[in-house]
């Protein structure tokens, strides 16, 4: 059989060269190195995902990624770089800071972790072959995903976090990613959070750009949650306006567990946030939600795959997208209900508000149901601001721009109100207000 | 205060107002009565500045200034207020937030200082009490889950807080039971003032027992077809609108 030689773009050629070049220098040997090779083999074979790949139909990385930026080294001024980060500054939390994907020990509260929480820097964990590494890659529906594979091939630092059984962690953990540089770079940080049975933890995650050069971020957070766990997660994408930002949240949720993950997206020229979640135990519930605000030529993709493999689990998804200018929003949400997953209750909603005639939204909600005794629903809407409401508000004296801002805030509010932590919610609402304030 | 001359309005190519003339003086309460579909709501929307109506001819003067080119908020800043026939629900915007926003927007447009929070709260509390509006309602989304009567009272609350100079009430009586009607009428009567004018639009004479008008105009097919004093309302109650339909057709 003749060997098929795919035609590679310049970025794809560069990626292959980068990997060959780096594979022996990246932390970890033996099984870890083999894992990198396997992950990269996927990428080498398929290239960058493009619109002919169903899951990437609306987010064509092959045409968006012109050059593969070199993997970021630890910045010399790492502490100074993370000090430029502003996200969740007012939120009381234990911080783990990352500069261009590298853990910055001197800006992380490693010595002041709450009782029951242990953190191992990933670079060290990879080098020593830490047992928690075995928790990686557990979500079946995430297997083969491009962003996850790319991170698995190149992951250079991050953290392994363990929350011991029965611990109710009394302070939030803030994963603070600050990216910035004078020349282009790529990041591949990886976080694994093992939440043992009966434990509860709050995790805030922020991604900010503070530099001058465009960068390519690709973060992965994996959560392995045991039985009876509660995980509250909030996420902010305030990446640099010219950044390409891929992010993945992969979760395995045990029995009688509860996970909430909510977020706001304002940054990135192109961003894609993926959530892969597998219910692994009965009577668990999931809430996913977010508010995305886009303008200019931004492109933001939210892609979810929720895998109901066991009975009696609930999932709720509520995503709001506001699109101005020539920006594009993408929502792909798939709920899979496997034959055994009777009594599944799944409700997914994606609503988009178009503020300009050149704004675009692609909504693709999907239900794949193989069980018969389930309640599942999905909805997707895409509309403009209601003229009658605008008239009502302006007739009461509000200038048009103020009336529009009020209606947009109300639209996004429904998703942002789900954020339980008051300080986080206030910051996300304030960022939405700030975004509206910048409308011209 | 209000002078409308030969107003001709179309929507989607359909003529609704047909050379309407109307004059309301400061201090006056004018009632407009007329059958459904005669164009009463259209008139109120056009005065308030709703975009989708096409004004083909005529002018609307408020204190001598033609307001037809002004944005709705600019008209509001000049004292025009419309209490909607069907007030809209705005989920996600709390009534309190909304009230503060509209009061301060109008103050800003008139180059007055913003209200302090205590001053704002004091005014809202007093006005809400007069209209038997519960504090709890003020915390809910604007008009969300309110009954028809509650929505109408909320319109009057906004009118009381904004202190407009020219108030249009579009069928504020519809959907109200007699107690609610009395509360609303009382709210309006308190605001009667030599410097303020009202245009009270109604299908029924009932409201005019409680808000006694100075003048009554009958509208049919997009025109004022008859004008008189308050006794005209009683006459209409007895005879109905049948005569006017024919007359205008
Ligand atoms: N937005 C609209 N589009 C089309 N026709 C309209 C619209 N608004 C009002 N009309 C028509 O204009 C006429 C007058 O309506 P309206 O002003 O609501 O009357 P009234 O308030 O006296 O009942 C009616 O025939 C109605 O169908
Ligand atoms: Mg009407």
């Amino acid at each position: 059989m003749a060997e098929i030689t795919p035609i590679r773009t310049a970025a794809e050629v560069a990626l292959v060269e980068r990997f060959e070049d780096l594979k022996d220098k990246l932390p970890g040997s033996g099984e870890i190195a083999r894992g990198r090779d396997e992950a990269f083999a996927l990428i080498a074979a398929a290239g960058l995902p493009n619109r002919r790949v169903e899951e990437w139909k609306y987010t064509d990385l092959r045409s968006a990624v012109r050059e593969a930026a070199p993997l970021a080294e630890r910045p010399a001024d790492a502490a100074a770089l993370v000090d430029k980060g502003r996200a969740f500054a007012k939120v009381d939390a234990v911080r783990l800071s990352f500069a261009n994907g590298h853990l910055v020990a001197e800006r992380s509260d490693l010595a002041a972790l709450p009782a029951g929480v242990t953190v191992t820097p990933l670079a060290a964990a990879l080098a020593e072959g830490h047992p928690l590494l075995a928790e990686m890659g557990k979500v079946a529906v995430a297997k083969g995903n491009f962003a996850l594979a790319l991170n698995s091939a190149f992951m250079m630092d991050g953290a392994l976090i363990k929350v011991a059984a029965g611990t109710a962690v009394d302070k939030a953990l803030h994963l603070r990613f600050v990216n910035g540089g004078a020349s282009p770079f790529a990041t591949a940080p990886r976080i694994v959070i093992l939440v043992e049975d009966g434990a509860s933890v709050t995790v805030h995650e922020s991604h900010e750009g503070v530099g001058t050069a465009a960068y390519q971020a690709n973060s992965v957070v994996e959560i392995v949650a045991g039985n009876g766990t509660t995980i509250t997660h909030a996420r902010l994408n305030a990446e640099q306006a010219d950044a390409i930002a891929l992010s993945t949240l992969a979760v395995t949720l045990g029995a009688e567990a509860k996970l909430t993950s909510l977020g706001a997206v304002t940054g990135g020229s192109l961003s894609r946030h993926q959530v892969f979640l597998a219910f692994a135990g009965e009577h668990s519930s999931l809430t996913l939600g977010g508010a995305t605000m886009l303008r200019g030529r931004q492109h933001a993709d939210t892609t979810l795959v929720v895998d109901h493999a066991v009975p009696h689990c609930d999932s709720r998804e509520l995503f709001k997208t506001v699109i101005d200018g020539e920006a594009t929003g993408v929502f792909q949400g798939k709920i899979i209900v496997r034959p055994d997953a009777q009594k599944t209750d799944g409700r997914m909603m994606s609503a988009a508000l178009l503020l300009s005639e050149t704004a675009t939204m692609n909504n693709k909600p999907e239900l794949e149901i193989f069980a018969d005794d389930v309640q599942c629903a999905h909805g997707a809407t895409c509309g403009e601001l209601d003229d009658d409401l605008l008239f009502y508000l302006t007739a009461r004296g509000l200038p048009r721009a103020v009336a529009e801002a009020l209606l947009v805030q109300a639209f996004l509010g429904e998703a942002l109100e789900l954020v339980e932590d008051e300080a986080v919610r206030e910051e996300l609402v304030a960022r939405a207000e700030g975004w509206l304030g910048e409308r011209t | 205060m209000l002078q409308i001359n030969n107003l001709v309005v179309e929507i989607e190519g359909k003529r609704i107002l047909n050379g309407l003339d109307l004059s309301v003086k400061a201090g006056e309460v004018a009632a407009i009565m007329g059958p459904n579909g005669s164009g009463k709501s259209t008139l109120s929307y056009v005065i308030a500045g709703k975009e989708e109506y096409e004004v083909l001819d005529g002018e609307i003067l408020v204190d001598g200034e033609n307001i037809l080119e002004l944005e709705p908020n600019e008209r509001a800043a000049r004292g025009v207020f419309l209490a909607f026939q069907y007030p809209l629900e705005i989920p996600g915007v709390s009534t309190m937030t909304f009230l503060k926003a509209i009061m301060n927007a109008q103050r800003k447009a008139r180059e007055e200082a913003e209200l302090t929070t205590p001053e704002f709260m004091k005014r809202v509390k007093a006005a809400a009490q007069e209209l038997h509006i519960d504090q709890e309602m003020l915390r809910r989304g604007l008009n969300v889950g309110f009954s028809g009567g509650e929505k109408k009272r909320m319109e009057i609350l906004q009118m009381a807080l904004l202190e407009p100079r020219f108030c249009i009430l579009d069928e504020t009586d519809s959907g109200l039971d007699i107690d609610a009607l009395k509360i609303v009428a009382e709210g309006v009567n308190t605001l009667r003032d030599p410097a303020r004018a009202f245009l009270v639009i109604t299908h029924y004479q009932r409201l005019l027992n409680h808000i006694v008008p100075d003048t009554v105009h009958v509208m049919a097919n997009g025109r004022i077809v008859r004008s008189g004093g308050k006794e005209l309302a009683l006459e209409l109650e007895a005879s109905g609108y049948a005569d006017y339909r024919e007359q205008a057709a």
Side-chain angles (χ1 to χ4, degrees):
Chain A
M1 201 172 83
E3 188 145 317
I4 298 165
T5 321
I7 299 168
R8 291 202 167 114
T9 64
E12 287 166 344
V13 171
L15 257 185
V16 172
E17 284 171 5
R18 292 253 144 76
F19 186 71
E20 293 306 322
D21 207 37
L22 278 173
K23 57 189 263 188
D24 296 330
K25 298 174 199 142
L26 288 164
S29 56
E31 214 177 303
I32 291 154
R34 274 194 297 283
R36 291 188 191 275
D37 284 337
E38 263 174 50
F40 195 76
L42 280 172
I43 290 160
L48 289 164
N50 56 72
R51 69 193 128 79
R52 279 181 293 280
V53 178
E54 184 62 21
E55 304 91 77
W56 294 84
K57 183 168 151 186
Y58 300 111
T59 299
D60 187 332
L61 285 187
R62 184 176 282 168
S63 66
V65 179
R66 298 269 159 74
E67 287 161 61
L71 195 64
E73 296 186 2
R74 172 182 299 277
D77 56 348
L81 183 73
V82 298
D83 287 345
K84 291 184 190 161
R86 292 281 167 271
F88 299 148
K90 287 191 197 137
V91 179
D92 186 27
V94 167
R95 284 175 226 287
L96 297 181
S97 301
F98 300 86
N100 298 350
H102 294 272
L103 181 66
V104 185
E106 62 269 40
R107 287 295 181 271
S108 298
D109 301 321
L110 293 168
L113 296 169
V117 177
T118 51
V119 174
T120 311
L122 186 74
L126 288 168
E128 77 185 46
H130 196 282
L132 270 182
L133 293 170
E135 303 296 336
M136 282 187 180
K138 290 218 157 156
V139 181
V141 286
K143 293 245 157 70
N145 175 262
F146 170 80
L148 182 59
L150 186 69
N151 181 284
S152 297
F154 285 101
M155 59 185 172
M156 68 318 196
D157 203 357
L160 300 181
I161 302 170
K162 188 172 104 175
V163 182
T167 312
V169 181
D170 57 7
K171 226 176 187 185
L173 306 181
H174 177 190
L175 307 172
R176 180 187 182 208
F177 296 90
V178 183
N179 296 321
S183 60
F185 60 92
T187 75
R190 180 80 157 240
I191 308 286
V192 178
I193 308 173
L194 174 66
V195 186
E196 293 186 332
D197 291 352
S200 61
V201 65
T202 297
V203 179
H204 307 318
E205 192 190 329
S206 62
H207 298 262
E208 293 169 276
V210 297
T212 49
Y215 57 85
Q216 296 165 359
N218 181 24
S219 61
V220 172
V221 174
E222 290 176 280
I223 298 176
V224 180
N227 299 333
T229 52
T230 302
I231 295 117
T232 310
H233 176 238
R235 188 177 182 284
L236 170 69
N237 164 348
E239 301 274 19
Q240 215 164 276
D242 52 5
I244 293 180
L246 306 178
S247 56
T248 302
L249 173 67
V251 184
T252 324
L253 200 54
E256 291 175 17
K258 184 170 178 262
L259 181 127
T260 305
S261 175
L262 301 160
V265 176
T266 56
S269 66
L270 179 151
S271 71
R272 168 148 157 148
H273 182 58
Q274 321 183 111
V275 180
F276 299 101
L277 184 135
F279 284 102
E282 299 183 20
H283 299 287
S284 290
S285 66
L286 163 70
T287 303
L288 296 178
T292 299
M293 292 149 262
L294 305 173
R295 61 160 56 101
R297 309 199 55 160
Q298 279 180 293
H299 174 107
D301 176 332
T302 299
T303 292
L304 318 174
V305 182
V306 175
D307 187 2
H308 284 269
V310 295
H312 294 289
C313 290
D314 299 344
S315 61
R316 295 279 176 280
E317 292 85 26
L318 177 63
F319 286 83
K320 298 274 184 132
T321 309
V322 176
I323 314 172
D324 205 350
E326 295 167 68
T328 304
V330 177
F331 175 83
Q332 305 188 104
K334 187 190 283 188
I335 300 179
I336 305 167
V337 183
R338 303 207 183 259
D340 287 341
Q342 300 296 359
K343 305 288 181 192
T344 289
D345 187 336
R347 270 148 230 266
M348 177 165 63
M349 180 69 196
S350 164
L353 187 57
L354 306 181
L355 298 181
S356 79
E357 285 179 7
T358 45
T360 309
M361 181 69 193
N362 298 298
N363 260 319
K364 196 175 84 178
E366 287 176 278
L367 297 176
E368 285 184 5
I369 302 178
F370 305 101
D372 48 23
D373 186 12
V374 301
Q375 284 193 22
C376 283
H378 67 66
T381 63
C382 186
E384 294 162 22
L385 285 171
D386 184 310
D387 281 337
D388 289 335
L389 287 179
L390 280 172
F391 172 62
Y392 189 58
L393 295 175
T394 53
R396 291 290 139 92
L398 298 182
R400 170 112 187 166
V402 177
E404 288 187 359
L406 198 65
L407 293 178
V408 173
Q409 261 169 273
F411 174 81
L412 293 174
E414 206 190 335
L416 294 176
E417 270 164 24
L418 299 173
V419 177
E420 280 171 40
D421 185 302
E422 194 178 337
V424 170
R425 185 177 63 239
E426 278 174 8
E427 169 153 353
L428 297 183
V429 168
R431 282 181 182 262
E433 283 170 8
W435 184 87
L436 284 163
E438 287 160 21
R439 269 191 87 204
T440 42
Chain B
M1 167 160 298
L2 176 81
Q3 179 70 44
I4 298 178
N5 298 320
N6 187 37
L7 191 61
V8 180
V9 172
E10 277 187 3
I11 185 155
E12 289 166 9
K14 184 175 158 195
R15 185 154 299 198
I16 315 284
L17 300 183
N18 240 323
L20 181 136
D21 299 307
L22 180 69
S23 166
V24 184
K25 290 198 276 295
E28 181 179 333
V29 174
I32 291 194
M33 301 184 70
N36 283 328
S38 56
K40 304 184 297 295
S41 289
T42 301
L43 172 63
S44 68
Y45 285 148
V46 173
I47 299 173
K50 199 170 189 190
E51 254 175 34
E52 65 217 54
Y53 295 96
E54 199 182 346
V55 178
L56 297 181
D57 202 0
E59 55 184 7
I60 301 177
L61 307 174
V62 171
D63 296 328
E65 180 191 16
N66 189 354
I67 61 166
L68 277 174
E69 295 302 320
L70 299 180
E71 295 297 325
N73 56 302
E74 295 169 327
R75 301 184 195 199
R78 280 163 177 75
V80 174
F81 180 92
L82 166 62
F84 281 52
Q85 180 171 4
Y86 304 107
L88 286 88
E89 296 186 8
I90 310 191
V93 178
S94 91
T95 305
M96 233 19 160
T97 306
F98 170 75
L99 293 176
K100 196 165 188 186
I102 61 175
M103 286 171 78
N104 281 330
Q106 293 210 11
R107 295 179 72 86
K108 194 172 166 193
R110 297 191 199 110
E111 293 174 358
E112 294 166 14
E114 282 201 355
L115 287 172
T116 63
T117 302
E119 178 60 23
F120 164 74
M121 294 301 292
K122 200 176 98 188
R123 292 192 191 193
V124 172
K125 265 193 183 146
Q129 202 161 18
E130 290 244 328
L131 290 158
H132 302 244
I133 289 171
D134 204 63
Q135 289 294 310
E136 189 271 325
M137 263 170 73
L138 299 175
R139 285 191 286 272
R140 282 194 257 160
L142 181 65
N143 292 329
V144 177
F146 290 13
S147 71
E150 287 171 337
K151 286 181 185 170
K152 295 298 176 75
R153 271 186 275 156
M154 195 56 76
E155 294 289 282
I156 304 302
L157 176 74
Q158 292 168 46
M159 188 168 93
L161 292 171
L162 292 173
E163 301 177 330
R165 297 174 50 247
F166 183 70
C167 311
I168 309 165
L169 292 100
D170 189 3
E171 303 220 17
T172 298
D173 52 332
S174 66
L176 294 187
D177 62 29
I178 187 67
D179 293 330
L181 183 78
K182 279 182 181 159
I183 293 167
V184 164
E186 180 64 34
V188 173
N189 288 331
T190 337
L191 292 174
R192 288 180 84 148
D193 186 285
R196 184 174 284 139
F198 289 85
L199 190 60
V200 180
I201 294 173
T202 180
H203 185 72
Y204 302 103
Q205 184 263 341
R206 184 178 75 148
L207 178 68
L208 304 180
N209 290 336
H210 301 279
I211 305 173
V212 180
D214 300 303
T215 51
V216 175
H217 305 273
V218 181
M219 188 159 170
N221 288 342
R223 283 201 184 105
I224 302 297
V225 293
R226 197 170 155 201
S227 300
K230 58 177 180 269
E231 63 291 341
L232 182 53
L234 293 166
E235 187 187 310
L236 280 167
E237 183 77 355
S239 64
Y241 293 114
D243 296 350
Y244 298 100
R245 284 211 183 87
E246 281 153 29
Q247 179 182 332

